[in-house]
Amino acid sequence: MEAIILAPSPWHGGEVALQKRLGVDARMEEVGRRVLRDHLVEQHREFYPLLPMVVLGSVDGNGDAWATLRAGEPGFLHAPDAKRLVVELPREPADPADAGMEDGAPLALLGIDLGTRRRNRLNGKLRRHSRGFDLGVEQSFGNCPKYIQLRQVHFVRDPSEPAALPPVSRFELDEAARALVENADTFFVATYAELGGGRQLDVSHRGGPAGFVHVGDDGWLAIPDFAGNNFFNTLGNIAVNPRAGLTFPDLATGGLLQMTGEAELVSGPPRGVTLDGAQRYWRFRPRRIVWRAEALAIRYDPVRAG
C-alpha cells in the first residue's frame, strides 16, 4: 500500500499553540489546508483591480516591522495570473515601511474595501520593476468582514503626488497622537515570524468601537482581541516574535500615524481596561513613531445608517 504523505501544517507553532488553547487546533488544521492557498482564486484576481488603497507590511534592515497604507487609481493592483499580483506604486522614501521593500524581500499585503467590507490577505516575496513590483503568491486567503467600519472613498489629489508636508519622527506619543489612537475605530498591524523556510509576514486589520484601544500612563497600548476566524496570524506571530508595527490612519485627513515596537500577549485585561466582547488582550509599546500628515491622497467618509 502506498503511504500517504501530508503537506506540512499550514500554521506555524505560535498559531497552533493559541488554537490548542481554545481546543480548535484539529479543526483549524483542516480549515487551513482548505482555505490557505498558494495562488489567487478568480474572485480575488477580479477584486484587486477595484481597490483605491492597499495595506502593506514590511520589515526594515533593523528587523523592525512597519505597516503602511498606499493609494492608487483603481487598477494599480492587478493579477495577470494566479501566482502574482502586480503592484504599480512608486518608491516612497518618507514612508518608513518603504525601507523593507527592496527586491527579494518578503512582504505582507492586505486588499481591503472599506465600502463593501471585502478583504483578502496575501503574503510573498516582491520583485522590483520599473512600475513598482510584483508580489509572488505564497499564501492567499480571504477574511470575514467583522469589525470593518463602512466608509465611502474619494480622491483629493493625484495619488502619484507625494504629500507636501514632511514626516515627523518621535519616540513617544504626543497629545495629538494619543487622541488619534484613543478615538480610533480602525488600525492595521504588521507582525512576522522567523521560520525554517524563511520569514513569514502578516498585515491585518483591527477594528472595534471608537476608543477600543487604550493608551496607559506608561505609554503601552492595551488592545482587545475579539472573536474571529481562529487563524491567530497576528497573535501567533507575537507569541514567537514580539516585534510589531502599527498604523493608525486619520481617514478624514489622510494622515498616517506609524509606529514600530514590541508587542506581548497578556493573560487578562490590563487594569482598568475592559470591553464587551473581548476574548483576550495584547499590549504594544511603541519604540519609534512617525506621523505623516496627508500621506494618503484619499479620504474616507463614514457611511451613515438609514
Side-chain angles (χ1 to χ4, degrees):
M1 176 180 269
E2 203 172 297
I4 298 175
I5 301 175
L6 290 178
S9 173
W11 313 111
H12 65 65
E15 296 162 334
V16 171
L18 292 171
Q19 292 164 359
K20 283 184 175 180
R21 194 175 299 174
L22 284 185
V24 299
D25 51 307
R27 180 169 64 85
M28 294 311 299
E29 181 76 8
E30 185 276 327
V31 169
R33 292 183 184 278
R34 178 163 42 87
V35 303
L36 271 66
R37 306 178 180 92
D38 63 356
H39 62 280
L40 289 168
V41 297
E42 189 63 29
Q43 66 173 331
H44 293 146
R45 291 180 63 189
E46 295 172 353
F47 169 63
Y48 278 107
L50 305 176
L51 297 177
M53 182 270 287
V54 69
V55 185
L56 302 172
S58 68
V59 179
D60 67 19
N62 296 319
D64 290 331
W66 294 94
T68 190
L69 279 63
R70 300 290 304 276
E73 294 286 352
F76 81 102
L77 302 167
H78 55 96
D81 56 65
K83 296 293 290 184
R84 64 188 170 118
L85 183 72
V86 177
V87 182
E88 296 186 4
L89 286 173
R91 301 301 297 256
E92 180 50 81
D95 185 348
D98 193 77
M101 299 182 194
E102 300 298 336
D103 186 65
L107 190 76
L109 182 148
L110 170 64
I112 184 169
D113 184 348
L114 299 183
T116 65
R117 303 201 303 171
R118 292 179 63 192
R119 55 179 164 170
N120 175 255
R121 302 249 282 279
L122 197 164
N123 308 323
K125 287 188 175 60
L126 66 85
R127 293 297 174 189
R128 282 274 165 200
H129 50 67
S130 60
R131 303 181 313 281
F133 58 86
D134 289 357
L135 185 59
V137 182
E138 294 180 358
Q139 279 191 340
S140 172
F141 51 100
N143 274 154
C144 70
K146 275 186 174 182
Y147 315 115
I148 298 177
Q149 311 300 323
L150 283 172
R151 289 181 163 90
Q152 294 176 322
V153 64
H154 62 277
F155 282 86
V156 296
R157 69 172 188 268
D158 184 333
S160 65
E161 296 177 8
L165 298 172
V168 177
S169 295
R170 297 186 178 91
F171 297 102
E172 295 181 348
L173 295 171
D174 63 11
E175 186 175 339
R178 182 175 181 133
L180 176 60
V181 171
E182 292 195 317
N183 287 286
D185 61 19
T186 298
F187 75 92
F188 301 92
V189 51
T191 56
Y192 69 99
E194 300 285 12
L195 306 177
R199 180 176 287 170
Q200 182 174 301
L201 271 70
D202 177 76
V203 67
S204 298
H205 164 273
R206 285 292 185 273
F212 76 110
V213 178
H214 174 76
V215 183
D217 293 337
D218 57 1
W220 283 79
L221 280 61
I223 304 163
D225 188 65
F226 302 107
N229 53 22
N230 294 327
F231 286 12
F232 293 121
N233 304 117
T234 296
L235 299 191
N237 283 349
I238 292 172
V240 297
N241 177 22
R243 292 193 173 190
L246 276 58
T247 291
F248 287 82
D250 185 336
L251 296 172
T253 70
L256 292 181
L257 180 65
Q258 296 169 263
M259 53 187 86
T260 191
E262 283 73 42
E264 65 178 22
L265 309 182
V266 292
S267 57
R271 181 175 297 178
V273 178
T274 57
L275 195 64
D276 289 345
Q279 294 195 330
R280 60 197 64 83
Y281 288 82
W282 54 288
R283 300 199 310 160
F284 174 81
R285 178 177 60 185
R287 187 164 27 79
R288 182 184 167 204
I289 300 163
V290 178
W291 167 248
R292 297 168 57 217
E294 301 179 6
L296 289 175
I298 53 177
R299 304 290 184 268
Y300 283 98
D301 303 317
V303 175
R304 303 299 179 186

